[in-house]
Amino acid sequence: MEVRRTVPVKLDVADSDADLLHETISEFLWAANYVVDHAWNGEYKITSKAELQRETYDDVRAETRLQANLVQNARNKAADAVQSVVARWKQGDYAGKPHFTAPTLVYDKRCATFNDDHATLSTVEGRITAEYVLPEEERETPHSKYLFNNDYEVTGGELHYRDGEFYLHVRTKADVEFETADDGNDGHSTVLGVDLGIETVAVTSTGTFWNGAELNHWRREFEKRRGSLQQRGTRAARETIQSVGRTETGRYDHFLHTVSKQLVAEAVEHDCDVIAFENLTGIRERMPRTKKFHAWAFRRLFEYVEYKAEVVGISVEQVSPAYTSQRCSKCGFTHKDNRPTSNGQDVFECLKCGYSPHADYNAAKNIGLKHLRSAQTSSGGGAPVNVRLNRGTLNVNGNYEPASTGQNGSPRESPTLTEANGEAVSE
């Protein structure tokens, strides 16, 4: 069986080389978005990589300093995104035109060389050498397990820039039979459901909440400051706006990194194999109060959770959000009036059984259940699967099994409020 693993490696890059990487990322994103624009022009969306190559390659080469292989990688990234959108349309889901903003750059073995302690990376002005910042050799890490394992072949990587540092997500693959040995529990999956929101950024099926008040406060303050500077219209004001923008993005990223780290830790603590989010496509249409900023923050949070979870062997999935806010996670009764809006606050109260948890907590449990049911359907059913809750587990049939003790041998309180100001809710 072919096994693929990705290992994030921090890079040590000289200042001059860092400038070249930033320029290369900028031109790579421009190229990918140019190909998307071309594919999107007209009622018929072009999904063929060969056709997009013929129709955009010369233009991109003329407008950028990217070498040929990076142009092809940008085209592939764009084509994959357009194909994904078309596939969602065929399933009846809403999906909008892709647009790339996250500072990433795709490398393959034609435009990068991956060594034991460094990589050479193509840029807009030749290649640069980036040293790996590696953990101690004696520690068992993903680096020792995959990157330095002769059974695994490096196939490429994706460059990321975050928190002022460059990271290379090195992709590896191997034919590893021993990893798929039958232990009598094949198909087991314990899921952490996650619901995203505006006032509460994230809520898990284990009952942990992350309050979004601080994030929303920063957004409002930065908007006011930008508006004031824009009214001045001076060169100094424009330069200050750019500086404010960098500070703003840095604060948002720090907050979202913290939440993502704690989300993954929550999954590890509860022995979860999967973290399930709702599908983020069309979230602004489904949630009228969601602004463009929130949609961006949700996508960035998902990306951060995805790569952090991958390091510890947890997969991250998206499920259809249909009816997750209207369904009672206790009895299964689904009705739009289960979630009325009262005084601007979203509440949940089941019309059938009277169950009245926090609405986002109820949705998080339903998201976890939806993933389990879809996984069981695709695998033929019969797998022992559970949604991890704050006081036990919920299986695919909706049956609740309490836990006698918490992870540390003592009963766990329900739920946990992380950086939040609010009242706890109970099962």
Side-chain angles (χ1 to χ4, degrees):
M1 175 182 174
E2 185 176 86
V3 176
R4 293 180 179 268
R5 294 291 184 268
T6 300
V7 183
V9 181
K10 185 177 178 180
L11 301 180
D12 183 7
V13 181
D15 290 344
S16 58
D17 292 338
D19 291 339
L20 285 176
L21 288 178
H22 282 302
E23 293 177 30
T24 308
I25 288 174
S26 178
E27 296 197 16
F28 181 87
L29 294 177
W30 182 91
N33 287 320
Y34 178 86
V35 176
V36 169
D37 290 342
H38 182 84
W40 216 259
N41 188 22
E43 184 177 352
Y44 170 72
K45 311 308 177 191
I46 304 173
T47 58
S48 167
K49 291 182 180 179
E51 185 174 351
L52 289 171
Q53 173 77 354
R54 289 194 304 270
E55 298 180 3
T56 65
Y57 178 80
D58 290 341
D59 290 344
V60 174
R61 285 302 303 271
E63 294 295 330
T64 69
R65 294 170 290 167
L66 299 175
Q67 58 115 302
N69 294 322
L70 287 178
V71 172
Q72 293 174 16
N73 291 345
R75 177 213 63 205
N76 290 340
K77 186 179 183 73
D80 289 341
V82 175
Q83 290 170 4
S84 177
V85 169
V86 172
R88 290 173 184 171
W89 287 350
K90 291 179 179 179
Q91 295 174 356
D93 295 333
Y94 171 82
K97 177 183 175 182
H99 184 73
F100 304 108
T101 57
T104 59
L105 171 60
V106 179
Y107 284 105
D108 57 28
K109 296 173 77 171
R110 300 170 302 170
C111 48
T113 303
F114 304 91
N115 300 287
D116 289 342
D117 57 359
H118 72 278
T120 61
L121 307 173
S122 293
T123 71
V124 292
E125 293 184 11
R127 290 204 176 201
I128 61 102
T129 297
E131 302 290 336
Y132 294 161
V133 179
L134 299 170
E136 298 174 2
E137 292 185 5
E138 58 270 18
R139 291 175 53 199
E140 183 176 347
T141 64
H143 306 76
S144 60
K145 192 171 182 180
Y146 308 118
L147 189 60
F148 304 135
N149 186 339
N150 291 332
D151 292 331
Y152 283 81
E153 174 193 357
V154 174
T155 60
E158 186 168 71
L159 184 69
H160 291 246
Y161 182 75
R162 60 179 183 273
D163 297 339
E165 303 286 352
F166 286 101
Y167 294 82
L168 188 62
H169 290 203
V170 181
R171 296 171 178 149
T172 67
K173 71 174 182 179
D175 290 323
V176 185
E177 295 298 332
F178 59 82
E179 289 205 1
T180 61
D182 183 8
D183 61 358
N185 195 29
D186 189 31
H188 176 79
S189 180
T190 299
V191 180
L192 182 73
V194 181
D195 183 65
L196 302 175
I198 298 173
E199 302 303 326
T200 304
V201 173
V203 180
T204 65
S205 56
T206 53
T208 300
F209 290 59
W210 284 268
N211 196 312
E214 186 177 7
L215 193 67
N216 291 319
H217 170 74
W218 287 339
R219 180 182 62 83
R220 289 190 294 267
E221 290 302 312
F222 281 124
E223 284 182 348
K224 290 179 183 177
R225 190 173 182 188
R226 274 197 303 273
S228 176
L229 290 168
Q230 286 170 348
Q231 288 181 350
R232 298 181 191 176
T234 63
R235 179 178 178 180
R238 288 193 294 271
E239 292 175 349
T240 304
I241 288 174
Q242 294 178 351
S243 175
V244 167
R246 289 191 292 270
T247 301
E248 178 182 14
T249 302
R251 283 198 173 184
Y252 296 155
D253 277 341
H254 177 75
F255 178 88
L256 295 172
H257 268 300
T258 300
V259 175
S260 65
K261 182 178 180 180
Q262 293 171 352
L263 267 170
V264 173
E266 185 82 358
V268 171
E269 179 185 352
H270 291 89
D271 297 322
C272 295
D273 308 290
V274 179
I275 301 174
F277 287 79
E278 63 180 296
N279 193 311
L280 300 180
T281 302
I283 195 167
R284 294 185 68 190
E285 288 71 22
R286 298 195 307 270
M287 298 170 56
R289 294 174 57 207
T290 304
K291 298 183 180 296
K292 184 177 181 180
F293 162 77
H294 296 108
W296 169 86
F298 295 156
R299 287 193 299 271
R300 185 63 64 91
L301 177 61
F302 177 84
E303 292 170 356
Y304 289 166
V305 170
E306 191 172 35
Y307 82 76
K308 286 182 172 68
E310 188 173 41
V311 174
V312 294
I314 296 174
S315 63
V316 181
E317 308 290 345
Q318 293 187 23
V319 302
S320 170
Y323 306 113
T324 53
S325 65
Q326 301 175 12
R327 180 187 183 276
C328 176
S329 60
K330 185 173 184 179
C331 74
F333 178 70
T334 303
H335 195 282
K336 64 179 182 179
D337 291 339
N338 279 351
R339 192 172 183 180
T341 300
S342 176
N343 297 324
Q345 298 295 319
D346 288 330
V347 297
F348 184 92
E349 184 172 0
C350 180
L351 298 178
K352 183 177 180 180
C353 72
Y355 182 50
S356 183
H358 189 287
D360 296 336
Y361 175 50
N362 179 73
K365 292 196 287 183
N366 283 328
I367 288 169
L369 276 170
K370 181 163 281 194
H371 170 78
L372 294 185
R373 286 169 177 154
S374 63
Q376 190 176 58
T377 299
S378 63
S379 63
V385 290
N386 299 281
V387 176
R388 183 62 68 182
L389 306 181
N390 52 337
R391 288 182 175 177
T393 60
L394 196 66
N395 69 21
V396 73
N397 297 315
N399 298 320
Y400 173 68
E401 181 179 345
S404 57
T405 60
Q407 296 294 314
N408 298 319
S410 59
R412 176 166 179 175
E413 304 236 336
S414 164
T416 303
L417 298 174
T418 302
E419 298 182 356
N421 296 313
E423 297 181 359
V425 295
S426 61
E427 283 284 335

